[in-house]
Amino acid sequence: MTVLGLTFLGTGTSNGIPVIGCHCHACTSVDPRDRRTRCSAVLHLGERNILIDTAPELRLQALACGLTRVDAVLFTHAHADHVGGFDDLRQFNYLAQAPLPVYADPKTARELRTRFGYAFSDPLPFYGGKPDLRLHEFDGPFELFGYPIIPVPVLHGGWTVYGFRCGPLAYVTDAKTIPPASLALLRGVEVLVLNALRDRPHPTHLSLAEALAIVEELRPRQTYLTHVSHEVVHAQWSERLPDGVFLAYDGLRVWV
Protein backbone atom coordinates (compact mmCIF):
# COMPACT_ATOMS: atom_id res chain seq x y z
CA MET A 1 0.00 0.00 0.00
CA THR A 2 1.24 3.47 -0.87
CA VAL A 3 2.21 5.58 2.12
CA LEU A 4 0.44 8.93 1.84
CA GLY A 5 0.70 11.64 4.44
CA LEU A 6 1.15 15.31 5.21
CA THR A 7 3.34 17.29 7.60
CA PHE A 8 2.15 20.78 8.53
CA LEU A 9 5.26 22.95 8.50
CA GLY A 10 3.27 26.13 9.20
CA THR A 11 -0.41 26.78 9.96
CA GLY A 12 -0.62 30.55 10.52
CA THR A 13 -1.71 33.54 8.50
CA SER A 14 0.41 36.16 6.75
CA ASN A 15 1.43 37.87 10.03
CA GLY A 16 2.47 34.67 11.77
CA ILE A 17 1.65 34.10 15.44
CA PRO A 18 2.60 35.67 17.76
CA VAL A 19 1.94 38.89 15.87
CA ILE A 20 4.49 41.67 16.38
CA GLY A 21 3.32 44.01 19.14
CA CYS A 22 0.20 42.00 19.99
CA HIS A 23 -0.68 40.87 23.53
CA CYS A 24 -3.87 38.90 22.84
CA HIS A 25 -4.58 35.45 24.31
CA ALA A 26 -3.13 33.55 21.35
CA CYS A 27 -0.04 35.74 21.00
CA THR A 28 0.81 35.39 24.70
CA SER A 29 -0.19 31.73 24.98
CA VAL A 30 2.29 29.23 26.42
CA ASP A 31 0.68 26.43 24.40
CA PRO A 32 3.19 25.61 21.62
CA ARG A 33 0.25 24.86 19.30
CA ASP A 34 -0.55 28.59 19.34
CA ARG A 35 2.82 29.48 17.82
CA ARG A 36 2.06 29.40 14.11
CA THR A 37 4.50 30.12 11.32
CA ARG A 38 3.27 30.95 7.83
CA CYS A 39 1.48 28.26 5.82
CA SER A 40 3.49 25.50 4.21
CA ALA A 41 3.34 21.70 4.21
CA VAL A 42 5.06 18.56 2.98
CA LEU A 43 3.08 15.96 1.06
CA HIS A 44 4.59 12.52 1.56
CA LEU A 45 4.18 10.29 -1.49
CA GLY A 46 5.83 7.01 -0.67
CA GLU A 47 9.51 7.89 -0.25
CA ARG A 48 9.08 11.27 -1.93
CA ASN A 49 8.66 14.61 -0.14
CA ILE A 50 6.67 17.23 -2.04
CA LEU A 51 6.89 20.71 -0.52
CA ILE A 52 3.75 22.85 -0.79
CA ASP A 53 4.75 26.55 -0.80
CA THR A 54 7.89 28.15 0.59
CA ALA A 55 6.83 30.13 3.66
CA PRO A 56 9.12 32.90 4.98
CA GLU A 57 10.14 30.60 7.86
CA LEU A 58 10.99 27.64 5.59
CA ARG A 59 14.49 27.22 7.02
CA LEU A 60 13.21 27.18 10.61
CA GLN A 61 10.31 24.90 9.66
CA ALA A 62 12.67 22.40 8.02
CA LEU A 63 14.94 22.38 11.08
CA ALA A 64 12.00 21.94 13.45
CA CYS A 65 10.56 19.01 11.48
CA GLY A 66 13.83 17.38 10.44
CA LEU A 67 13.14 17.98 6.74
CA THR A 68 16.33 17.28 4.78
CA ARG A 69 14.93 16.09 1.45
CA VAL A 70 12.57 17.79 -0.99
CA ASP A 71 11.87 16.09 -4.32
CA ALA A 72 9.56 18.74 -5.85
CA VAL A 73 7.66 21.91 -4.93
CA LEU A 74 4.01 22.78 -5.55
CA PHE A 75 2.96 26.43 -5.35
CA THR A 76 -0.59 27.39 -4.46
CA HIS A 77 -0.06 31.05 -5.42
CA ALA A 78 2.54 33.82 -5.23
CA HIS A 79 1.50 35.87 -2.20
CA ALA A 80 4.48 36.76 -0.02
CA ASP A 81 3.52 34.53 2.91
CA HIS A 82 3.60 31.53 0.55
CA VAL A 83 6.82 32.27 -1.37
CA GLY A 84 8.94 34.32 1.07
CA GLY A 85 11.28 31.41 1.88
CA PHE A 86 11.95 30.69 -1.79
CA ASP A 87 15.71 31.19 -1.61
CA ASP A 88 16.07 28.47 1.04
CA LEU A 89 15.32 25.91 -1.67
CA ARG A 90 19.00 26.16 -2.58
CA GLN A 91 19.95 24.01 0.42
CA PHE A 92 17.77 21.19 -0.86
CA ASN A 93 19.62 21.49 -4.19
CA TYR A 94 22.87 21.15 -2.26
CA LEU A 95 21.69 18.14 -0.26
CA ALA A 96 20.40 16.34 -3.36
CA GLN A 97 23.18 17.59 -5.68
CA ALA A 98 20.51 17.99 -8.32
CA PRO A 99 18.10 20.58 -9.72
CA LEU A 100 14.62 20.71 -8.20
CA PRO A 101 11.34 20.64 -10.17
CA VAL A 102 8.68 23.17 -9.18
CA TYR A 103 5.06 23.30 -10.35
CA ALA A 104 2.77 26.31 -10.60
CA ASP A 105 -0.19 27.61 -12.60
CA PRO A 106 0.72 30.07 -15.41
CA LYS A 107 -0.01 33.23 -13.39
CA THR A 108 2.05 32.06 -10.42
CA ALA A 109 4.81 30.90 -12.75
CA ARG A 110 5.02 34.40 -14.26
CA GLU A 111 5.28 35.91 -10.77
CA LEU A 112 8.03 33.47 -9.80
CA ARG A 113 10.02 34.21 -12.94
CA THR A 114 9.69 37.95 -12.31
CA ARG A 115 10.74 37.85 -8.66
CA PHE A 116 13.19 34.95 -8.70
CA GLY A 117 14.44 34.81 -12.27
CA TYR A 118 17.96 33.95 -11.08
CA ALA A 119 16.68 30.54 -9.93
CA PHE A 120 15.60 29.50 -13.42
CA SER A 121 18.60 30.59 -15.50
CA ASP A 122 22.39 30.50 -15.59
CA PRO A 123 23.00 27.48 -13.32
CA LEU A 124 26.12 27.70 -11.20
CA PRO A 125 28.81 25.02 -11.60
CA PHE A 126 27.98 23.85 -8.06
CA TYR A 127 24.80 23.37 -6.03
CA GLY A 128 23.81 25.51 -3.07
CA GLY A 129 24.89 28.98 -4.18
CA LYS A 130 21.39 29.78 -5.38
CA PRO A 131 18.23 27.82 -6.12
CA ASP A 132 18.55 25.67 -9.25
CA LEU A 133 14.98 25.01 -10.33
CA ARG A 134 13.08 23.61 -13.30
CA LEU A 135 9.70 25.34 -13.57
CA HIS A 136 6.69 23.39 -14.89
CA GLU A 137 3.35 25.07 -15.57
CA PHE A 138 0.12 23.13 -15.04
CA ASP A 139 -3.32 23.82 -16.47
CA GLY A 140 -4.97 20.62 -15.25
CA PRO A 141 -4.11 17.29 -13.62
CA PHE A 142 -0.55 16.03 -13.96
CA GLU A 143 1.60 13.16 -12.72
CA LEU A 144 4.39 13.54 -10.21
CA PHE A 145 6.69 10.58 -9.54
CA GLY A 146 3.93 8.25 -10.70
CA TYR A 147 1.24 9.84 -8.52
CA PRO A 148 -1.72 11.78 -9.97
CA ILE A 149 -1.92 15.39 -8.76
CA ILE A 150 -5.19 17.27 -9.28
CA PRO A 151 -4.98 21.06 -8.98
CA VAL A 152 -8.14 22.48 -7.38
CA PRO A 153 -8.85 26.14 -8.28
CA VAL A 154 -10.45 28.20 -5.51
CA LEU A 155 -11.17 31.90 -5.16
CA HIS A 156 -9.06 33.97 -2.76
CA GLY A 157 -10.96 37.23 -3.10
CA GLY A 158 -10.34 38.22 -6.73
CA TRP A 159 -7.32 35.89 -7.06
CA THR A 160 -7.58 32.28 -8.25
CA VAL A 161 -5.28 30.11 -6.13
CA TYR A 162 -4.84 26.36 -6.11
CA GLY A 163 -5.27 23.51 -3.72
CA PHE A 164 -4.06 20.03 -4.59
CA ARG A 165 -5.61 16.59 -4.37
CA CYS A 166 -3.63 13.36 -4.41
CA GLY A 167 -5.89 10.32 -4.12
CA PRO A 168 -7.76 10.42 -0.81
CA LEU A 169 -5.95 13.52 0.53
CA ALA A 170 -6.54 17.17 -0.41
CA TYR A 171 -4.87 20.39 0.72
CA VAL A 172 -6.73 23.68 0.22
CA THR A 173 -5.58 26.97 1.67
CA ASP A 174 -6.42 30.67 1.23
CA ALA A 175 -9.90 29.96 -0.14
CA LYS A 176 -12.88 32.24 0.30
CA THR A 177 -15.07 30.44 -2.24
CA ILE A 178 -14.84 26.93 -3.65
CA PRO A 179 -16.73 26.86 -6.96
CA PRO A 180 -19.03 23.89 -7.72
CA ALA A 181 -16.59 22.42 -10.25
CA SER A 182 -13.84 22.46 -7.65
CA LEU A 183 -16.11 20.94 -5.00
CA ALA A 184 -16.66 18.10 -7.46
CA LEU A 185 -12.88 17.56 -7.62
CA LEU A 186 -12.82 17.21 -3.82
CA ARG A 187 -15.67 14.75 -3.43
CA GLY A 188 -14.63 11.42 -1.95
CA VAL A 189 -11.54 12.69 -0.12
CA GLU A 190 -10.84 10.96 3.16
CA VAL A 191 -8.54 13.63 4.62
CA LEU A 192 -9.22 17.28 3.84
CA VAL A 193 -6.99 20.20 4.82
CA LEU A 194 -8.93 23.46 4.65
CA ASN A 195 -8.27 27.04 5.68
CA ALA A 196 -10.39 28.62 8.44
CA LEU A 197 -9.14 32.06 9.40
CA ARG A 198 -11.32 32.99 12.39
CA ASP A 199 -14.92 33.19 13.59
CA ARG A 200 -15.63 36.60 12.06
CA PRO A 201 -16.22 36.77 8.28
CA HIS A 202 -13.32 37.90 6.13
CA PRO A 203 -13.42 39.16 2.51
CA THR A 204 -10.76 36.76 1.17
CA HIS A 205 -10.63 33.80 3.57
CA LEU A 206 -13.09 31.23 4.87
CA SER A 207 -14.42 31.79 8.37
CA LEU A 208 -14.92 28.80 10.66
CA ALA A 209 -18.64 28.61 9.86
CA GLU A 210 -17.96 28.77 6.12
CA ALA A 211 -15.29 26.09 6.37
CA LEU A 212 -17.56 23.80 8.38
CA ALA A 213 -20.31 24.21 5.78
CA ILE A 214 -17.88 22.87 3.15
CA VAL A 215 -16.92 20.01 5.46
CA GLU A 216 -20.60 19.18 5.93
CA GLU A 217 -21.07 19.01 2.16
CA LEU A 218 -17.96 16.95 1.40
CA ARG A 219 -18.07 14.76 4.54
CA PRO A 220 -14.41 13.65 4.62
CA ARG A 221 -13.37 11.17 7.29
CA GLN A 222 -11.05 13.76 8.83
CA THR A 223 -10.59 17.50 8.33
CA TYR A 224 -7.66 19.62 9.51
CA LEU A 225 -8.06 23.39 9.66
CA THR A 226 -5.08 25.58 8.78
CA HIS A 227 -4.17 29.19 7.86
CA VAL A 228 -5.50 30.27 11.27
CA SER A 229 -5.24 33.77 12.73
CA HIS A 230 -4.31 35.02 16.20
CA GLU A 231 -8.02 35.37 16.99
CA VAL A 232 -7.97 31.59 17.48
CA VAL A 233 -6.71 29.93 20.68
CA HIS A 234 -5.99 26.27 19.93
CA ALA A 235 -7.47 24.75 23.07
CA GLN A 236 -10.65 26.83 22.89
CA TRP A 237 -11.42 26.06 19.26
CA SER A 238 -10.58 22.38 19.71
CA GLU A 239 -13.38 22.07 22.28
CA ARG A 240 -15.90 23.51 19.82
CA LEU A 241 -15.10 21.55 16.68
CA PRO A 242 -17.41 18.74 15.55
CA ASP A 243 -16.30 15.11 15.45
CA GLY A 244 -13.70 14.45 12.79
CA VAL A 245 -12.61 18.09 12.53
CA PHE A 246 -9.30 19.13 14.09
CA LEU A 247 -7.26 22.29 14.36
CA ALA A 248 -3.86 21.69 12.78
CA TYR A 249 -0.65 22.99 14.35
CA ASP A 250 2.95 23.40 13.26
CA GLY A 251 4.71 20.05 13.17
CA LEU A 252 1.56 17.92 13.07
CA ARG A 253 1.87 14.89 10.79
CA VAL A 254 -1.13 12.95 9.51
CA TRP A 255 -1.31 9.76 7.45
CA VAL A 256 -3.88 8.18 5.16
Side-chain angles (χ1 to χ4, degrees), residues 164-185:
F164 298 99
R165 177 174 181 173
C166 183
L169 188 151
Y171 181 93
V172 178
T173 185
D174 283 51
K176 172 61 178 180
T177 305
I178 302 181
S182 295
L183 281 172
L185 295 176

Side-chain angles (χ1 to χ4, degrees), residues 5 9 20 29 46 59 83 86 89 101 108 110 113 118 121 137 151 153-154 164 192-193 195:
L9 297 181
I20 295 171
S29 171
R59 172 180 166 273
V83 302
F86 187 92
L89 291 175
T108 301
R110 287 195 299 272
R113 289 191 183 98
Y118 60 88
S121 62
E137 296 184 18
V154 298
F164 298 99
L192 173 65
V193 178
N195 63 289

Side-chain angles (χ1 to χ4, degrees), residues 164-227:
F164 298 99
R165 177 174 181 173
C166 183
L169 188 151
Y171 181 93
V172 178
T173 185
D174 283 51
K176 172 61 178 180
T177 305
I178 302 181
S182 295
L183 281 172
L185 295 176
L186 294 171
R187 294 197 185 280
V189 296
E190 294 182 27
V191 176
L192 173 65
V193 178
L194 186 63
N195 63 289
L197 185 73
R198 62 192 190 190
D199 279 309
R200 293 185 297 126
H202 188 276
T204 62
H205 293 275
L206 291 168
S207 67
L208 176 59
E210 291 167 334
L212 292 180
I214 292 169
V215 172
E216 180 65 22
E217 180 166 353
L218 294 176
R219 295 186 176 276
R221 180 169 54 85
Q222 294 178 334
T223 300
Y224 295 88
L225 303 177
T226 191
H227 209 288

Side-chain angles (χ1 to χ4, degrees), residues 53-70:
D53 290 338
T54 56
E57 299 92 346
L58 177 58
R59 172 180 166 273
L60 298 177
Q61 293 171 341
L63 291 170
C65 293
L67 179 65
T68 59
R69 172 178 171 176
V70 169

Side-chain angles (χ1 to χ4, degrees), residues 22-247:
C22 183
H23 304 286
C24 72
H25 290 301
C27 289
T28 57
S29 171
V30 297
D31 187 340
R33 298 172 299 180
D34 286 320
R35 301 188 70 85
R36 306 181 187 112
T37 56
R38 268 67 72 94
C39 252
S40 188
V42 177
L43 178 64
H44 305 288
L45 302 180
E47 297 298 318
R48 303 284 190 171
N49 290 333
I50 314 303
L51 180 64
I52 303 177
D53 290 338
T54 56
E57 299 92 346
L58 177 58
R59 172 180 166 273
L60 298 177
Q61 293 171 341
L63 291 170
C65 293
L67 179 65
T68 59
R69 172 178 171 176
V70 169
D71 297 287
V73 185
L74 304 177
F75 281 102
T76 62
H77 62 301
H79 282 169
D81 54 323
H82 292 263
V83 302
F86 187 92
D87 204 59
D88 285 328
L89 291 175
R90 63 182 181 157
Q91 181 61 14
F92 297 107
N93 288 133
Y94 175 78
L95 291 169
Q97 288 295 293
L100 186 62
V102 300
Y103 295 80
D105 68 280
K107 180 177 181 179
T108 301
R110 287 195 299 272
E111 292 283 343
L112 295 176
R113 289 191 183 98
T114 298
R115 299 183 208 175
F116 309 109
Y118 60 88
F120 307 107
S121 62
D122 301 324
L124 296 177
F126 57 90
Y127 290 108
K130 69 178 184 67
D132 187 350
L133 309 179
R134 304 294 182 268
L135 182 57
H136 305 271
E137 296 184 18
F138 61 75
D139 59 2
F142 59 96
E143 192 170 277
L144 189 55
F145 304 118
Y147 297 88
I149 304 294
I150 302 175
V152 181
V154 298
L155 299 179
H156 179 32
W159 191 304
T160 297
V161 306
Y162 286 83
F164 298 99
R165 177 174 181 173
C166 183
L169 188 151
Y171 181 93
V172 178
T173 185
D174 283 51
K176 172 61 178 180
T177 305
I178 302 181
S182 295
L183 281 172
L185 295 176
L186 294 171
R187 294 197 185 280
V189 296
E190 294 182 27
V191 176
L192 173 65
V193 178
L194 186 63
N195 63 289
L197 185 73
R198 62 192 190 190
D199 279 309
R200 293 185 297 126
H202 188 276
T204 62
H205 293 275
L206 291 168
S207 67
L208 176 59
E210 291 167 334
L212 292 180
I214 292 169
V215 172
E216 180 65 22
E217 180 166 353
L218 294 176
R219 295 186 176 276
R221 180 169 54 85
Q222 294 178 334
T223 300
Y224 295 88
L225 303 177
T226 191
H227 209 288
V228 179
S229 80
H230 68 143
E231 295 185 26
V232 177
V233 175
H234 188 100
Q236 294 176 2
W237 256 33
S238 294
E239 293 177 353
R240 299 169 46 201
L241 295 176
D243 290 345
V245 180
F246 309 93
L247 188 57

